Structures are given as C-alpha cells and as structure tokens.
C-alpha cells in the first residue's frame, strides 16, 4: 500500500462488524475505528472493540479506537404510525407530555426546551429539513407554525437556529458511556456538543477517574463552541469539525470557511483534527463517490486535516470496504498535489521547548536534505506530534515502547507509529536498533539518508534533545564482525 499521510476514521455498525468485512477495511487503509455510543448496546461495542484489537494484532498494524459520546442531542418523540407529513403554514405543537405524536403534535425528550425558546425563534428538525417558527409557549407546550414542511419521523433531532440551547454537554448516559470507554481502553474520546473548556475538563476528569487513557477530542457543532474555540483547543487534545449539526446552527454557507479556520487554528495550537459528516454519503448506496464528495475530501486533505471520517457510509452502508478504498485513493492523490510551505511555516517561529526545537530541526533538515524518512524515538509521542503539525512531505516513523502512545499516534498526520521493546539504555544502540527496524520493514534501503531523533536520558518523557543524520547501513556495516 503506498504511504498515506492523512488518516481514515470509519464508524463501525451492522455493515462493518463481521470478521471478514472489518479485516478488509483494515487492509484497505482504516486507521481508527469509531464506536458511536448513540447507537448499539454496550455488549455490541465490547464485541466490536475486541474484534478491532484482534484483527490489528494479527496484521501487526495499529488501529486506534475512538469512542464517540451521544451528547445532549434534543429529539422529538415518536409518532403513532412512525412518521407524519407537515405542510407549510399548518400549526404544530411540541409537547413535553405527549406520549405518542400525530399530525398536530409530538413529544420531546428534553423538558427544558419550552424555557429555552421565545416567540419568533426558528426550530430546525431533522438536520434542518423541517423548519418551525415559534408562535408562543404555554407551559410545557411550544406552539409553532410550519415554515418548511416535509416528512417527519420518530426521534429526529431539534436545533434552534443560531444556537443557544442550555442542555449540558455531558448527560447521565454520557457518563455511563465514559466508563464503558475506559473499560474498552479506547484511544480517543469524542465529546459531543461542548460549549466551553469546562465541558472538556469534566470529560477528561471522568475518563481519568474511570482509569482510561484516551485523548479528548472536542466536537465543534455548537455556535458557542465556535465562539469559544481558542479555550476549547487549549483544553482538548484535538477537535472534530462536525459539519452536520454545526451547519444547522450557523447555516450551511458558513461551514466551509469555518472548517478552514478551525483546521488552521488547531495546527497552530498543536492539536489533532478530524473532518467529519457526509464526506462520501452517496456511497451508502453507491459503489463510487460523487465528484463533489471527492473534492470535499481532497480539500480537507489540502487544508491539513489529520483525519477524514466516515459515518453511515461504513456503519450501515452497502459498500463499507469500497468506501475506505475510495477515500484512501482520494487522500493519496490530494497529498501528491500538495505543495510544501515549510519555509513560510517556520519563518519567525519561536521555540520554547527543547523537544520542539529538535522536532522542527529534523523536519527542516530532512526536507532540505531530501531524507528518505524521519525516525523519532519517543516515549509520549510529543516529538512526533510537533513534527506532524508541519507539512514537509517526508514520512515520519515514530518508534515507542508504550502501547498507549503507539495507539494515540494512529491519528497523527504523516506519522506511522511502531511499537518497539526498549531493551537498550545506550543512545547509539537505540539509534542502531531504529535503523535496523526501518531496514527490516523495507521502509529504507542501504545508503538512504535518514534523520533520527532521541532523548537522553533514555525513556524520560519530553526529553528529546538529539538529532542525528545518518546514511543507512554505515553504522550496521561498521558494527558487523569481520569475515
């Protein structure tokens, strides 16, 4: 498989939970498997997580696990016949106490919604397909007029145009799911609908209290999250550009520019990024993507996203393997056309940490010397993260003895994580071992130029302080016994 810098996240579901299909998805290029806690039982998630770990181990290829919390998605109740049709101009009531809906009213799963809305507010149902204008509120009933009608079915989501609903980011279900995520030892936890840094701090504390090691990914899908983006970036390990619910709150025309801004700011803050929602949605039913979807994925790659994500395409679609294959091809082609802006990105940069200075030196030197690869010996993954924030076109191989660190790096752009046994305490022996691993895996050949980074003393987190440029084989030949 040709090297690919952008990672692929795919959601597991009924279409992708068999040994055969999931194995083919991993072979096609899956990097991180997403467990969507909005659907499925705990036992189903346990079975999928176990299958991912077994298949990845058998292929000697790391595959990360991402647990995605449901969050406080406000939904309507159910209808007597499963769905209704709303016509423009007709009155319609959202009633907290309505057990079963009909053409005149429907229930709500969020009892505080009547206190969050005012006359004149526009409510968006089913990702904006249905639009209701609030006329007045009477107790626990919201009386509305249909602005845009259509078919409305059970349990569809509700947003208020412009955002501002008061639902907390972490529900009781989310707290239970965090404990499940810790039990499954997921590598990433995606927090849905956070409004500020406090929501991220709470999720991190709950994850650590449950014994989990997951990196925290904030899903940007509320208007408040856009307004508080800087503080959310500081509090999290990465963000997900969750374009579906975000588009409902800010308007679909505003999303492309926001996506570019969020990806740029995340790189500047040294945070991970996932671009998500409807990336190849037509492949739920079609074996090939549309040209617009190909352009959408390619643009996210060119904007510097760490990963692109598939949702229903792989969870319930007819072509989960073909979708991963198509995304792999698009990412590769976009990366080939991507121009390096290394000189501009490093201009006037101020380094405050030794490991950051070594990481940037390795990128700069490796790019100018056209090295075949950069190998980073890392305990926590910090050096590899610094390197991955800059597009240099040089593949980065991060060698670590820590399994959690190895799995966290499955989401780092242009980084291939490799688990090694730390058997040496001598720097030169460690570098020699790294060189042998790259040779044995066919990553480099004799006389290729490579850059190696390491820290002394060995095994100390954040201690990378050495950069060495070597020609592959010189050290090995010198160490070989005489014939």
């Amino acid at each position: 498989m040709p090297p690919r810098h952008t990672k692929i996240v795919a959601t597991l579901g009924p279409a992708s939970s068999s040994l055969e299909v999931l194995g083919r998805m991993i072979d096609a290029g899956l990097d991180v498997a997403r467990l969507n806690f909005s659907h499925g039982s705990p036992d189903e998630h346990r079975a999928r997580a176990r299958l991912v770990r077994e298949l990845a181990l058998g292929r000697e290829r790391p595959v990360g696990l991402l647990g995605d919390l449901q969050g406080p998605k406000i939904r309507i109740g159910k209808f007597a016949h499963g769905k209704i049709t709303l016509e423009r101009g007709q009155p319609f009531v959202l009633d907290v106490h309505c057990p079963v809906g009909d053409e005149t009213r429907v229930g709500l799963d969020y009892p505080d919604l009547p206190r969050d809305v005012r006359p004149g507010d526009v409510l968006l149902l089913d990702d904006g397909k249905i639009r209701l204008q609030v006329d007045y509120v009477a107790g626990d009933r919201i009386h509305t007029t249909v602005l845009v009608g259509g078919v409305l079915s059970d349990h569809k989501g509700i947003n208020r145009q412009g955002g501002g609903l008061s639902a907390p980011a972490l529900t009781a279900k989310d707290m239970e799911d965090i404990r499940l995520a810790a039990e499954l030892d997921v590598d990433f936890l995606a927090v849905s609908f956070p409004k500020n840094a406090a929501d991220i701090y709470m999720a991190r504390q709950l994850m650590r209290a449950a014994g989990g090691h997951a990196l925290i990914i904030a899903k940007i899908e509320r208007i408040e999250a856009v307004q508080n983006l800087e503080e959310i970036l500081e509090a999290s390990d990465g963000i997900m550009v969750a374009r579906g619910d975000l588009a409902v709150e800010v308007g679909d025309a505003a999303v492309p520019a926001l996506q570019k801004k969020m990806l740029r700011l995340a790189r500047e803050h040294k945070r991970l990024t996932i671009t998500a929602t409807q990336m190849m949605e037509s492949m739920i039913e079609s074996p090939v993507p549309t040209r617009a979807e190909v352009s959408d994925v390619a643009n996210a790659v060119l904007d510097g996203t760490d990963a692109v994500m598939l949702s229903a395409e792989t969870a319930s679609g007819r072509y989960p393997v073909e979708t991963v294959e198509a995304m792999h091809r698009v990412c590769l082609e976009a990366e080939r056309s991507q121009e390096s802006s290394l000189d501009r990105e490093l201009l006037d940069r101020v380094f405050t940490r030794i490991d950051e200075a070594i990481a940037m030196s390795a990128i700069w030197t490796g790019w100018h010397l056209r090295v075949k690869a950069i190998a980073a010996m890392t305990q926590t993954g910090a050096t590899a993260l610094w390197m991955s924030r800059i597009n240099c076109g040089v593949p980065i191989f991060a060698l670590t003895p820590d399994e959690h660190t190895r799995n966290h790096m499955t989401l780092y752009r242009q980084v291939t994580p490799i688990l090694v046994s730390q058997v040496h305490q001598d720097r030169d022996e460690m570098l020699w071992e790294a060189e042998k691993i790259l040779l044995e895996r066919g990553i480099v050949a004799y006389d290729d130029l490579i850059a190696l980074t390491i820290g002394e003393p060995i095994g100390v987190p954040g201690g990378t302080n050495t950069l060495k440029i070597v020609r592959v084989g010189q050290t090995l030949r010198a160490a070989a016994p005489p014939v």
Side-chain angles (χ1 to χ4, degrees):
M1 182 186 299
R4 170 173 39 82
H5 293 162
T6 310
K7 303 306 177 77
I8 295 175
V9 182
T11 305
L12 302 188
S16 50
S17 295
S18 71
L19 180 73
E20 189 264 339
V21 171
L22 185 52
R24 289 173 59 204
M25 287 170 62
I26 292 174
D27 293 339
L30 173 64
D31 296 292
V32 176
R34 172 178 176 245
L35 304 175
N36 185 0
F37 293 141
S38 297
H39 305 283
S41 67
D43 284 343
E44 286 174 324
H45 295 310
R46 289 186 183 98
R48 288 167 183 155
R50 185 165 53 248
L51 187 58
V52 169
R53 296 300 194 204
E54 289 173 357
L55 288 169
L57 182 64
R59 284 162 169 75
E60 296 184 345
R61 181 172 178 270
V63 177
L65 269 179
L66 183 150
D68 196 331
L69 300 178
Q70 176 175 299
K73 182 126 184 176
I74 300 169
R75 299 180 185 274
I76 61 171
K78 62 182 181 179
F79 295 99
H81 300 291
K83 61 183 178 181
I84 61 166
T85 300
L86 295 176
E87 302 291 343
R88 176 182 171 84
Q90 80 172 75
F92 191 68
V93 179
L94 303 173
D95 185 350
V96 170
H97 302 294
C98 176
V100 180
D102 55 27
E103 285 74 11
T104 64
R105 67 185 59 232
V106 73
L108 288 169
D109 69 356
Y110 180 56
D112 289 332
L113 186 62
R115 282 166 282 285
D116 278 356
V117 300
R118 298 289 182 272
D121 285 349
V122 175
L123 298 178
L124 308 170
L125 282 69
D126 193 10
D127 289 338
K129 296 183 181 72
I130 307 289
R131 298 165 65 92
L132 310 176
Q133 181 170 293
V134 177
D135 298 325
Y136 64 94
V137 179
D140 289 332
R141 297 182 181 88
I142 304 171
H143 293 259
T144 74
T145 298
V146 178
L147 297 179
V148 177
V151 176
L152 182 63
S153 55
D154 295 347
H155 305 302
K156 292 300 182 183
I158 304 176
N159 294 75
R160 183 171 68 181
Q161 191 170 42
L165 298 180
S166 63
L170 294 174
T171 66
K173 180 185 186 314
D174 292 331
M175 294 178 189
E176 286 293 328
D177 287 337
I178 288 175
R179 285 190 280 271
L180 174 62
E183 174 197 328
L184 301 179
D185 201 16
V186 301
D187 306 299
F188 311 95
L189 181 75
V191 181
S192 296
F193 302 100
K195 291 187 284 188
N196 49 42
D199 294 334
I200 304 303
Y201 290 132
M202 179 178 289
R204 192 183 299 278
Q205 289 172 347
L206 290 169
M207 172 57 72
R208 297 297 176 261
H213 300 85
L215 300 183
I216 306 299
I217 307 296
K219 296 172 67 176
I220 308 301
E221 47 197 341
R222 276 180 164 170
I223 198 165
E224 295 92 338
V226 174
Q227 295 163 348
N228 298 321
L229 184 59
E230 295 268 359
E231 68 171 70
I232 289 174
L233 283 168
E234 289 293 334
S236 64
D237 299 297
I239 61 170
M240 181 188 295
V241 186
R243 303 177 304 178
D245 284 291
L246 180 63
V248 172
E249 295 224 350
V250 305
D252 52 9
V255 170
L258 278 175
Q259 174 178 313
K260 290 179 181 294
K261 175 186 176 182
M262 287 189 275
L263 295 179
R264 175 178 54 79
L265 282 175
R267 282 203 313 277
E268 291 174 1
H269 283 74
K270 308 298 182 292
R271 297 300 188 262
L272 303 172
T273 54
I274 303 171
T275 304
T277 315
Q278 297 177 331
M279 300 218 79
M280 287 192 163
E281 190 170 29
S282 72
M283 291 194 73
I284 295 172
E285 297 293 339
S286 169
V288 295
T290 66
R291 303 300 176 264
E293 289 165 344
V294 168
S295 295
D296 183 33
V297 173
N299 277 319
V301 172
L302 295 172
D303 286 340
T305 190
D306 283 278
V308 285
M309 193 177 96
L310 298 164
S311 300
E313 300 96 328
T314 52
S316 57
R318 296 175 60 187
Y319 304 99
V321 178
E322 291 84 353
T323 306
V324 175
E325 291 172 341
M327 189 165 265
H328 170 75
R329 291 193 303 271
V330 174
C331 290
L332 272 179
E333 197 59 42
E335 289 164 2
R336 288 193 188 102
S337 66
Q338 194 167 27
E339 295 181 0
S340 176
S341 56
L342 192 65
D343 290 331
R344 184 173 67 251
E345 290 196 55
L346 293 181
L347 186 66
D348 297 327
R349 183 182 287 262
V350 177
F351 303 134
T352 58
R353 293 174 48 159
I354 294 172
D355 56 349
E356 180 188 7
I358 293 295
M360 294 302 100
S361 298
I363 290 290
W364 177 265
T365 307
W367 184 66
H368 279 284
L369 290 179
R370 298 292 186 264
V371 301
K372 187 67 176 289
I374 298 171
M377 310 294 290
T378 179
Q379 194 74 25
T380 64
T383 304
L385 179 62
W386 292 114
M387 293 179 182
S388 69
R389 299 308 84 192
I390 304 292
N391 173 40
C392 67
V394 180
I396 301 161
F397 296 88
L399 287 71
T400 181
D402 188 281
E403 189 170 352
H404 287 117
T405 297
R406 188 272 309 267
N407 291 343
H408 289 162
M409 292 189 292
T410 56
L411 206 53
Y412 292 14
R413 184 185 174 100
Q414 69 187 352
V415 172
T416 300
I418 299 174
L419 191 66
V420 297
S421 56
Q422 187 171 298
V423 295
H424 307 293
Q425 289 300 313
D426 178 77
R427 182 198 67 182
D428 290 333
E429 288 188 28
M430 287 281 289
L431 294 174
W432 183 48
E433 189 71 25
E435 198 174 333
K436 284 204 303 182
I437 289 171
L438 296 183
L439 267 172
E440 290 168 357
R441 290 177 175 242
I443 295 164
V444 299
Y446 281 105
D447 295 321
D448 283 340
L449 208 59
I450 61 173
L452 301 164
T453 65
I454 196 169
E456 290 183 300
I458 304 295
V460 176
T464 297
N465 55 15
T466 302
L467 166 64
K468 188 173 183 180
I469 309 297
V470 302
R471 197 165 293 281
V472 175
Q474 287 183 346
T475 305
L476 299 177
R477 285 192 286 259
V483 179

